[in-house]
């Protein structure tokens, strides 16, 4: 048995070594030791820590990674709601904000804290007795997803509040901030994804969100995530008087706080700050989309309070969308899975706000004519957040007469069939159902992240499998054999196995993902969720007629028609039969798939006949809504059982919708 001192020394050594190997393995994708060697070191540390627990145990590598994958995230109610911010898009709006709040607070001058507005996703971290206990995404501001295990893998996030003299550790605190991914690691992650024919992320924010919302913490651990903290919610055991003081304390406790955060003595200083941050934005290692101004004094914040779901004391000042000019080399047509032909500008690659762009959508022929876009033109392009870059205008002064006018061909560039433009539609369409480009696109969509999420089955592999005549529709994927794959390009033994594995794993998809994956016209992710939540199985959905469908609030006649036609079509019925034969079995769990009550707040009063209060609460939460204990301005419905209490009177006074238990059951589709 080791003595205490040598144990402490060995523990320290092992932690340092394991932290190094974690970085090599998870972040740099370049392990130096075998998994078995790693496991052995980890076990040695775990054993020692069990006998000799110490003060640093909470931040030990044994606490960061290693928990098992979840089947779903548990909902997490934030002790204090996470609000959002009001936006301003011009200096005038910033000045108006200042005048308004100075008037309300009766002050000549207001002092602020000015911060970069990080483009990631907001999280809430709960520390009890100085230890990290829970962490959750923002969700709808009231309820988020419990992503505690995933947050622990972010190495810059303290698992324990650092104790320093002159600053007490609060017994309870909610620390708020933003999880984000830096631009360079983001680009690297996307390069790797493309090499593996995995769908690249549209931007660092989506990459951060997608990484944090992985059910397997080991996947999250491999993603280069970072965090900055910029505020607190509930706090017990310490008192603050200003926002600046809070940020100072967070930094001293060991939380990463953005170094560009400044105090600003008045609104003029804030506007200068906005200009400065805007000018250094392209060179920052991470993406920001504006600056946030916050009233510094907490007493001032309190006086001002909130309007609906945003504090009156804070403002998000957004940067204008990023633009660049570049040359349009060509205009190509992209065939979508429903045959829509979208003209795309192929451009000289150009950096727009730190992200390289070489394609921009031109939407449709009318748009090209309206903006008079020609091949060879110099164009101003714009990228705003998530959206695909667009051509804003062309620069006529740069024309030399060599520019070529683009004409919509009369035949599909992929299959040679006739192109039509349906009445009332802006898009041209290839109406050949066997158009190879459409089928390939359809298969790629089926396998994509938001749908069946089959890793390694992106654009390239979908096309390869189709061109090699191994598959003709998505159901054929489930009948592929390893020998067939070995003949293909790039499909070495191991990657063939990996692909077949991924296909096999996709056989029990959530019902809504499967419905979305089918590629029914007008059925996007949201509609698919509504359909899954209501019908609960493929059989029920396939049996539904247009009346059954339009009975759902969110389903209009056009969507209903499209769904019925889809399942009536012989070819589609055959494909559905093949899915069945392959053993594909979509899963329906109320908890994960439903959002029909998303953001809706319920208050129950009186006793319900069909279920207890707790069951009712669970049911509402499983459908994306939440339950309040009393009526507030945010309450969407008050549900009355027998012998309702004073909540009913309050609801009447406030004009809130009051429904019976029967209406409630109808509302949730029971
Ligand atoms: S403060 C009550 N500070 O912006 C104030 N938010 O539109 C709530 N964000 O959900 C947020 N940088 O995801 C704050 N320095 C910053 C921020 C920031 C980015 C995000 C955050 C929030 C959203 C609100």
């Amino acid at each position: 048995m080791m003595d205490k001192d040598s144990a402490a020394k060995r523990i320290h050594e092992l932690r340092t070594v394991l932290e190094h190997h974690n970085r090599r393995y998870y972040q740099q994708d370049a392990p130096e030791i075998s998994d078995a060697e790693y496991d052995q070191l980890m076990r040695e540390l775990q054993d020692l820590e069990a006998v000799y627990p110490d003060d640093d145990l909470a931040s030990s590598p044994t606490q960061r990674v290693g928990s098992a994958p979840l089947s779903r995230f548990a909902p997490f109610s934030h002790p204090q709601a996470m609000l959002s911010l009001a936006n301003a898009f011009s200096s005038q709006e910033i000045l108006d904000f200042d005048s308004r709040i100075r008037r309300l607070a009766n002050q000549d001058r207001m002092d602020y804290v000015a911060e970069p507005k990080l483009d990631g996703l907001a999280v809430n971290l709960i520390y009890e007795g100085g230890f990290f206990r829970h962490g959750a995404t923002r969700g709808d501001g009231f309820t988020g997803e419990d992503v505690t295990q995933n947050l622990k893998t972010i190495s810059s996030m303290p698992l324990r509040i650092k104790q320093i003299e002159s600053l007490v550790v609060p017994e309870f605190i909610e620390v708020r901030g933003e999880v984000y991914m830096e631009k360079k690691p983001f680009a690297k992650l996307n390069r790797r994804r493309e090499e593996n024919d995995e769908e690249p992320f549209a931007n660092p924010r989506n990459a951060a969100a997608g990484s944090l919302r992985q059910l397997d913490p080991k996947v999250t651990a491999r993603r280069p995530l970072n965090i900055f903290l910029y505020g607190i919610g509930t706090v017990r055991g310490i008192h603050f008087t200003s926002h600046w003081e809070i940020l100072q304390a967070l930094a001293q406790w060991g939380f990463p706080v953005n170094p560009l955060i400044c105090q600003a003595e008045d609104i003029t200083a804030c506007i200068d700050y906005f200009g400065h941050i805007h000018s250094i934005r392209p060179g920052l290692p991470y993406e920001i989309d504006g600056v946030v101004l916050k009233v510094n004094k907490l007493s001032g914040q309190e006086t001002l309070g909130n309007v609906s779901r945003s504090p009156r004391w804070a403002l998000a000042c957004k940067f204008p969308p990023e633009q660049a000019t570049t040359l349009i080399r060509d205009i190509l047509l992209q065939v979508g899975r429903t045959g829509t032909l979208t003209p795309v500008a192929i451009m000289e690659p150009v950096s727009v706000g730190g992200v390289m762009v070489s394609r921009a959508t031109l939407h449709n022929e009318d748009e090209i004519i309206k903006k008079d876009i020609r091949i060879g033109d110099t164009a101003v392009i714009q990228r705003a957040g998530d959206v695909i870059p667009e051509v804003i205008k062309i620069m006529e002064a740069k024309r030399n007469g060599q520019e070529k006018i683009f004409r919509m061909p009369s035949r599909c560039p992929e299959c040679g069939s006739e192109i039509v433009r349906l009445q009332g539609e802006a898009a041209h369409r290839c109406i050949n159902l066997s158009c190879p480009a459409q089928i390939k696109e359809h298969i790629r969509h089926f396998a994509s992240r938001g749908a069946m999420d089959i890793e390694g089955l992106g654009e390239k592999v979908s096309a390869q499998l189709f061109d090699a005549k191994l598959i003709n529709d998505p159901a054929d994927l489930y009948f592929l054999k390893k020998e067939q794959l070995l003949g293909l390009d790039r499909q070495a033994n191991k990657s063939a196995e990996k692909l077949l594995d991924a296909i096999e794993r996709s056989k029990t998809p959530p019902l809504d993902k499967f419905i979305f994956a089918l590629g029914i016209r007008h059925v996007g992710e949201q509609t698919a969720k509504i359909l899954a939540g209501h019908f609960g199985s493929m059989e029920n959905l396939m049996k539904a007629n247009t009346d059954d469908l339009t009975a759902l609030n969110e389903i209009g006649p056009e969507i209903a028609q499209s769904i019925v036609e889809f399942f009536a079509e012989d070819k589609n019925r055959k494909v559905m039969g093949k899915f069945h034969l392959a053993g594909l079995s979509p899963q329906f769990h109320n908890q994960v798939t439903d959002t029909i009550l998303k953001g809706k707040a319920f208050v129950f009063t009186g006793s319900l006949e069909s279920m207890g209060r707790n069951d009712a609460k669970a049911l509402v939460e499983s459908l994306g809504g939440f339950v309040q204990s009393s009526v507030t301005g945010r309450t969407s419905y008050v549900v009355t059982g027998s012998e309702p209490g004073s909540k009913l009177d309050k609801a009447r006074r406030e004009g809130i919708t009051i429904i019976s238990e029967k209406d409630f059951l109808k509302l949730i589709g029971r």
Side-chain angles (χ1 to χ4, degrees), residues 7 10-12 14-15 18 38-54 57 60-67 218:
R10 181 65 183 151
I11 286 176
H12 179 74
L14 284 166
R15 284 179 186 160
L18 281 163
Y38 175 90
D39 290 344
Q40 197 179 347
L41 292 172
M42 191 57 107
R43 214 160 316 123
E44 187 186 347
L45 179 57
Q46 278 164 346
D47 291 347
L48 281 172
E49 284 176 347
V51 188
Y52 302 102
D54 66 351
L57 179 60
S60 164
T62 54
Q63 310 299 308
R64 293 236 183 231
V65 281
S67 60
K218 293 212 166 55

Side-chain angles (χ1 to χ4, degrees), residues 17-27 38 61 65:
V17 169
L18 281 163
E19 267 160 23
H20 169 79
H21 290 306
N22 274 348
R23 267 194 307 276
R24 295 296 298 186
Y25 180 82
Y26 288 115
Q27 246 95 71
Y38 175 90
V65 281

Side-chain angles (χ1 to χ4, degrees), residues 469-489:
K469 301 208 163 43
L470 294 180
I471 57 174
N472 205 28
D473 62 53
D476 291 337
L477 287 169
Y478 297 95
F479 297 91
L480 283 172
K481 298 270 170 308
K482 191 166 147 196
E483 305 76 63
Q484 295 177 301
L485 295 179
L486 288 176
L488 295 178
D489 235 25

Side-chain angles (χ1 to χ4, degrees), residues 46 87 106 149 181 403:
Q46 278 164 346
N87 290 320
N106 200 9
Q149 297 308 330
M181 195 179 286
E403 294 75 19

